[in-house]
Amino acid sequence: MTFLEFMISEAKALDPSLVGAASIRQTGAGGRKYPERKKSEGERKRVKAIGGGKTAPVASYKDRKDIGGTKARSDVEQQPTKERGSAEVKQSYADKVKAERKKAAQARIAARKGGGETTTEKPKAKDTEKKATELLKKKTTKTVAPGYKPAQASGLTRAERDKKRGEGERMLKGIMKDQETSKYKKETGKAPDAKGRTKIIGRVNKRMSS
């Protein structure tokens, strides 16, 4: 409770005639119509990586330029272009009904010529019950494993994460290259030439992609 609200409640308690009277609404900062609900710097929990394994709170959103302003209804909703109850509106509605009736009549004529019927089939009770059962069926939710622990934020930026991943991939590729070179020497009994090195690189790339 703010100090202003406390003073108003105390005044009403001392003077019964003030009970039911309108309260003073406190406006927000920056010309807002209502009190500001933005969290303070210490209350915000969202963080972003700033590099070096460190995180920092995300920057606050900028204030809108139209704070405190009231938009006209015509700017928010589509307004009628014609007067309600006018002859023009009535005529347009009549034309719409006439077009719908004409379309239905053409459908009936086409059905009669084709030997079909225009009667609308009602859904079968069995199908309705089946659909209702599907809608009311209890949905099972996936349970989380008891030992599951969410991944902790590393505090690394995207560039730092990409760099680490690249270092790991290059190290793994070097290990695979050594393995394939040793395998080639055992198979051929000699060091790989240009053609052999191309073959080794192809095997390494295939293993990396799998």
Side-chain angles (χ1 to χ4, degrees), residues 180-200:
E180 292 298 332
T181 303
S182 300
K183 185 178 177 181
Y184 181 87
K185 287 179 179 179
K186 287 180 181 179
E187 290 175 351
T188 60
K190 59 180 180 179
D193 54 3
K195 188 175 180 181
R197 287 193 294 271
T198 304
K199 192 173 183 180
I200 289 170

Side-chain angles (χ1 to χ4, degrees), residues 71-133:
K71 290 186 178 180
R73 197 175 187 87
S74 58
D75 295 338
V76 180
E77 297 178 359
Q78 173 63 45
Q79 300 299 302
T81 56
K82 300 172 184 176
E83 186 181 351
R84 185 187 294 273
S86 63
E88 192 176 358
V89 172
K90 291 179 180 178
Q91 184 61 40
S92 62
Y93 180 73
D95 293 341
K96 180 182 176 182
V97 173
K98 186 177 179 181
E100 289 177 354
R101 288 178 178 174
K102 184 178 180 181
K103 187 176 179 181
Q106 289 174 345
R108 288 195 297 271
I109 293 169
R112 281 200 297 270
K113 288 181 178 179
E117 294 182 359
T118 58
T119 55
T120 307
E121 289 187 14
K122 292 184 178 180
K124 296 180 181 179
K126 187 177 180 180
D127 296 337
T128 306
E129 185 178 354
K130 186 178 180 181
K131 189 173 182 181
T133 305

